[in-house]
Amino acid sequence: MKKDKLISKRHLKSVRITVWIYFFIFIISILVLMWFTFSVSLESNYKRMKISNIFDVANYILTDWSAEEFTDGSLDKLAYDNDMCILIQDAYGNVVYSCDMLAGNCLIHGRVGLNKYRALAMENPSGIYYSEEKNPRFNTELMLFAMVLGDKSDPGGYIFLNTSLEPLNSTIGIINRQIIIVSAMLLILGLGISYFLARLIETPIVRIIKSAKKFGEGDYSAKFDGHGYTETEILADTLNYAAEEISKVDSLRRDLIANISHDLRTPLTMVKAYAEMIRDLSGDNPEKRREHIGIIIEESDRLAALVNDILDLSKLESGTTELNYSSFSITKKIHEIMGRYTLLSEQNGYKFFVTTKSDFVIEADIIKMEQVLYNLINNAINYTGENKTVYITQLIKDDDTARIEITDTGKGIEPELLPLIFDRYYRAEKSRREVIGTGLGLSIVKQILKQHNFKFGVRSELEIGSTFWFEVKGKVVGEYKEGDDEE
Ligand code: ADP
């Protein structure tokens, strides 16, 4: 029900219909404007032009005023060009020039009104009289112009001009017909263009919608294709990026669930088994009970470590963790961490030898590098031999590189296993219960060092020990002060 509503809403706002509507409005506006221009403004513009023409012609006659001038035909042309009747009288009222372009529609040729207009021009202080008149015979609008030539007290003659103020009907008819044809063509063309335009705009969007539907149904291989427009291309790129990230997270989630359920089962079984054992058998035997509870605690620790490591590694591998770079002394960091192991060395007899000659400052993520050091030192402690000795050495390789080595004196790692130990969940001695480990520590180290672009590796000799190393980029800032070796 809700979905149907959404769909019907979507149809109402579809790009195609919207483009159609707007284009249609656009065409109608053009047509209205065109009709308005031709029907309304044509008449008023025509009128204005005619009035201005009358004054131009009057001016022309005035400047070139001399009876001889009229014989050269220039006035005839003027009358013809402007569709105008011209009549010029001398001071006594004799016609010296006459050109009749309006025939029956004219108000000055052969009409009694001429004397009236002359009198009106004489009455006017400027000697000019003009007005819009109506021809009573045809009911047409005309412009009448009368002017006294020379001084009014001694007039040199009179000019009478008369022109029609209405556009010729035939012209208007032709224009109207043209407008109708043009309007119809514009309408058909507009509808056609708007249809194709709507489809053109719609196509990449529809393509993206199809992919989004597939993606929504769980098909993470769906690719968004928005070619056609910059905007749709950017949208498709953004969606592709988002889809990639979502599918990454999804596969990570699947992986994580599979691994977690697999890895959690063993310690959980142990916890349950030993708890049952305490309940049924060893509950009353304090010594056995302590031992079994010890195992439960150990397994719980393993569980906690496993969960933490899984989360850390998942984040690192998905590339969702950004490195938080800062400048710090790796030398001081090593000493600080080793300081925290004092209790272990005091209680369990471990011996740590830290050798750092120079104080080396690097640009790196301090928390992540701490994690690397902790993981490698913990491994060294876990796997070192009977003499419980671990060496941490900082060597300056060249001006900008320092090499940190963590060496134990344990059993070492078999050469064929060396390439595998940085892999996820790899544990060389899976049955070994005395070492609490998840098989993820070195994968975390690898991911962090790779993200920093720091080189790393391991060398190992059976029954002698292993050395895990990594190289950091930075610079020496001086001697390390607190002594070279620390126990
Ligand atoms: P774990 O939690 O098992 O230590 P790691 O990823 O840290 O997981 O190490 C993977 C495997 O590599 C270990 O199980 C162990 O077999 C081997 N390993 C790591 N460090 C050492 C070391 N210092 N000496 C010998 N073997 C090691």
Side-chain angles (χ1 to χ4, degrees):
M1 186 71 180
K2 224 175 177 184
K3 205 177 167 192
D4 287 350
K5 255 189 193 171
L6 273 174
I7 287 168
S8 66
K9 224 178 185 182
R10 241 183 263 157
H11 274 295
L12 276 178
K13 285 182 177 174
S14 91
V15 171
R16 184 188 302 198
I17 293 173
T18 313
V19 170
W20 264 21
I21 290 171
Y22 281 112
F23 215 82
F24 202 72
I25 292 172
F26 175 68
I27 291 165
I28 297 291
S29 315
I30 287 184
L31 290 180
V32 167
L33 205 73
M34 207 162 77
W35 278 97
F36 176 81
T37 314
F38 279 99
S39 60
V40 179
S41 67
L42 180 80
E43 244 181 86
S44 63
N45 277 340
Y46 190 81
K47 222 179 221 180
R48 219 173 302 130
M49 188 189 80
K50 283 291 190 176
I51 293 170
S52 129
N53 280 355
I54 267 195
F55 277 90
D56 286 348
V57 172
N59 256 333
Y60 176 81
I61 297 170
L62 209 60
T63 42
D64 282 346
W65 163 244
S66 84
E68 301 86 62
E69 292 282 340
F70 306 136
T71 49
D72 69 353
S74 60
L75 263 186
D76 293 348
K77 183 151 186 347
L78 215 58
Y80 178 79
D81 285 350
N82 293 292
D83 199 25
M84 199 180 282
C85 283
I86 303 175
L87 195 124
I88 304 173
Q89 291 179 337
D90 63 12
Y92 311 103
N94 301 318
V95 174
V96 287
Y97 175 81
S98 166
C99 185
D100 184 3
M101 293 302 297
L102 300 178
N105 200 14
C106 180
L107 287 175
I108 52 177
H109 281 94
R111 298 211 161 262
V112 280
L114 214 54
N115 290 337
K116 181 181 104 186
Y117 300 130
R118 191 170 47 204
L120 284 167
M122 285 293 279
E123 267 171 31
N124 210 313
S126 62
I128 295 172
Y129 170 81
Y130 68 94
S131 69
E132 281 182 30
E133 307 273 330
K134 262 204 182 333
N135 185 321
R137 224 168 112 199
F138 304 113
N139 202 27
T140 47
E141 273 186 51
L142 296 155
M143 177 78 186
L144 190 286
F145 179 94
M147 185 170 81
V148 182
L149 285 167
D151 196 354
K152 254 195 331 175
S153 53
D154 181 21
Y158 307 93
I159 304 174
F160 299 95
L161 303 174
N162 185 197
T163 189
S164 167
L165 286 180
E166 288 176 8
L168 286 176
N169 282 342
S170 58
T171 320
I172 288 185
I174 291 166
I175 291 172
N176 275 348
R177 253 201 311 282
Q178 295 270 20
I179 291 177
I180 291 168
I181 294 168
V182 168
S183 304
M185 273 165 47
L186 209 66
L187 213 64
I188 295 166
L189 208 76
L191 282 175
I193 291 175
S194 69
Y195 175 77
F196 282 109
L197 201 73
R199 284 204 60 154
L200 222 66
I201 295 174
E202 196 189 46
T203 312
I205 299 173
V206 168
R207 264 202 316 263
I208 291 174
I209 292 171
K210 273 187 193 157
S211 303
K213 269 188 189 153
K214 270 204 225 159
F215 192 79
E217 283 157 11
D219 177 4
Y220 292 136
S221 65
K223 281 272 161 276
F224 294 93
D225 173 10
H227 80 261
Y229 309 100
T230 318
E231 289 81 359
T232 48
E233 254 172 50
I234 293 170
L235 175 68
D237 286 352
T238 316
L239 286 171
N240 277 329
Y241 175 72
E244 223 171 83
E245 291 300 302
I246 291 171
S247 74
K248 230 193 238 175
V249 171
D250 187 67
S251 77
L252 204 74
R253 184 179 57 87
R254 281 169 210 264
D255 253 26
L256 206 68
I257 291 169
N259 288 335
I260 289 176
S261 43
H262 175 264
D263 291 334
L264 297 190
R265 207 178 296 138
T266 329
L268 275 175
T269 317
M270 297 287 282
V271 169
K272 192 176 175 237
Y274 278 94
E276 278 172 354
M277 226 189 277
I278 295 167
R279 184 192 63 193
D280 300 337
L281 301 168
S282 58
D284 298 330
N285 182 339
E287 208 173 297
K288 282 264 178 226
R289 194 179 57 211
R290 200 176 308 116
E291 188 193 323
H292 292 165
I293 288 174
I295 293 173
I296 291 179
I297 292 171
E298 225 173 74
E299 291 299 326
S300 310
D301 285 346
R302 212 157 96 82
L303 273 174
L306 189 68
V307 171
N308 283 339
D309 279 2
I310 288 170
L311 288 176
D312 280 352
L313 192 62
S314 310
K315 272 195 254 165
L316 282 168
E317 285 191 341
S318 69
T320 48
T321 38
E322 293 262 318
L323 290 181
N324 203 356
Y325 279 94
S326 66
S327 185
F328 65 94
S329 160
I330 188 83
T331 320
K332 287 197 178 110
K333 192 54 49 193
I334 291 169
H335 284 277
E336 188 189 310
I337 289 172
M338 291 324 293
R340 290 179 205 151
Y341 281 100
T342 326
L343 192 71
L344 198 68
S345 72
E346 277 169 7
Q347 283 183 351
N348 299 355
Y350 279 97
K351 289 191 280 292
F352 302 113
F353 293 93
V354 186
T355 314
T356 53
K357 287 211 166 59
S358 315
D359 192 3
F360 200 77
V361 171
I362 64 166
E363 276 282 325
D365 187 315
I366 191 161
I367 293 171
K368 296 269 180 319
M369 290 310 290
E370 254 182 27
Q371 211 175 347
V372 167
L373 285 166
Y374 269 119
N375 280 359
L376 293 179
I377 294 166
N378 275 341
N379 274 357
I381 292 169
N382 283 337
Y383 297 102
T384 196
E386 295 296 313
N387 63 2
K388 295 188 170 180
T389 310
V390 171
Y391 298 91
I392 296 111
T393 315
Q394 177 194 283
L395 304 159
I396 305 299
K397 258 189 86 180
D398 47 58
D399 277 355
D400 68 340
T401 313
R403 188 180 169 111
I404 319 289
E405 294 191 342
I406 293 108
T407 306
D408 63 68
T409 53
K411 283 188 182 163
I413 305 159
E414 288 177 36
E416 63 269 26
L417 300 181
L418 274 181
L420 304 175
I421 57 167
F422 283 99
D423 287 350
R424 235 196 306 181
Y425 292 109
Y426 180 79
R427 299 200 71 202
E429 295 160 86
K430 288 199 193 300
S431 54
R432 243 173 86 157
R433 295 241 44 85
E434 71 266 27
V435 175
I436 296 175
T438 58
L440 294 175
L442 285 181
S443 321
I444 293 172
V445 167
K446 175 177 147 183
Q447 289 297 336
I448 294 174
L449 293 175
K450 260 172 72 176
Q451 216 178 340
H452 277 89
N453 274 331
F454 290 159
K455 282 187 192 161
F456 61 94
V458 57
R459 60 174 190 274
S460 187
E461 258 185 82
L462 286 175
E463 303 306 329
I464 290 180
S466 315
T467 296
F468 285 81
W469 61 266
F470 61 93
E471 287 177 359
V472 287
K473 294 274 169 203
K475 61 175 185 290
V476 177
V477 289
E479 293 262 309
Y480 183 72
K481 295 275 160 37
E482 281 176 38
D484 293 337
D485 277 15
E486 268 187 24
E487 198 174 319

